[in-house]
Amino acid sequence: MSDILHLDHNQSVQKVKDMAERADICFFTTALTELPLSTRPMSTQKVENDGSLWFFSEKDSDKNQHIERDNRVQLFYSNKGSSEYLSLYGKAAIMQDAAKAKELWSPWVKTWFDGPDDPELTLIKIVPEQGYYWDTKDGKIVSMLKMAAGAITGKELDGSIEGKIRI
């Protein structure tokens, strides 16, 4: 059985920072009241010390239009290599900020935008409010060995840990 460990504010911010930076790509979900949900992969550009996350987005994109109507978003991170998973719920804000775009700019972004001053480039800042994480206590290899031993012996030897995040 998994251990449940709900995190306080500082622990939550650190967990978000660690997991989002390691996973990098998340499923970024908007229009939370419409089915099917509108989800797309997005690369996290930065996680601030307060837990807020930054993304680049095209000005006229569907996600920007969704956020303008309803700023609630859900982010899903999966770092399968480390057996880490994170779901974050929060509020999004769209902005055009050339200085912040320059700070976050990387050569990879050139695939979609001409530069940090591109008039089509917007930034999305997510301020998470709550979330849930699933992680391992002992690392992936030890957790896999415990699961294999549990499958052989029929006894539960789960090395996972999970809990709520509040920011």
Side-chain angles (χ1 to χ4, degrees):
M1 175 176 279
S2 298
D3 287 344
I4 305 292
L5 177 62
H6 302 309
L7 304 179
D8 67 23
H9 174 76
N10 291 335
Q11 293 169 319
S12 292
V13 168
Q14 193 59 51
K15 180 65 78 176
V16 168
K17 195 168 180 49
D18 292 345
M19 292 179 86
E21 287 175 351
R22 278 194 296 270
D24 176 38
I25 303 292
C26 72
F27 279 106
F28 190 109
T29 306
T30 55
L32 300 181
T33 61
E34 299 173 21
L35 294 177
L37 294 173
S38 184
T39 301
R40 78 281 296 149
M42 298 276 294
S43 178
T44 307
Q45 300 304 310
K46 183 176 185 178
V47 181
E48 299 284 0
N49 291 332
D50 66 357
S52 58
L53 303 101
W54 290 92
F55 297 86
F56 286 115
S57 180
E58 189 174 345
K59 185 177 176 179
D60 296 324
S61 67
D62 286 345
K63 75 184 125 344
N64 281 29
Q65 291 174 26
H66 293 164
I67 291 167
E68 287 172 0
R69 288 194 307 265
D70 181 354
N71 69 343
R72 296 173 299 162
V73 298
Q74 187 95 24
L75 309 177
F76 300 97
Y77 288 91
S78 173
N79 190 352
K80 189 175 177 184
S82 300
S83 297
E84 301 175 311
Y85 307 92
L86 175 65
S87 171
L88 287 176
Y89 168 83
K91 300 287 174 54
I94 300 166
M95 56 191 72
Q96 287 185 295
D97 181 336
K100 189 68 174 179
K102 286 176 185 164
E103 174 193 331
L104 300 174
W105 189 259
S106 74
W108 290 105
V109 184
K110 184 86 171 142
T111 304
W112 295 276
F113 301 103
D114 291 332
D117 296 319
D118 187 329
E120 296 302 311
L121 184 147
T122 62
L123 298 170
I124 299 176
K125 180 181 181 181
I126 307 296
V127 177
E129 294 178 359
Q130 59 183 312
Y132 207 85
Y133 73 95
W134 298 263
D135 203 347
T136 59
K137 289 184 273 190
D138 306 311
K140 183 180 179 182
I141 293 173
V142 173
S143 292
M144 288 177 67
L145 290 172
K146 283 183 178 182
M147 285 189 286
I152 293 168
T153 64
K155 295 181 180 176
E156 192 172 323
L157 300 171
D158 187 8
S160 63
I161 187 166
E162 63 184 79
K164 291 180 183 176
I165 290 175
R166 296 247 181 239
I167 297 183

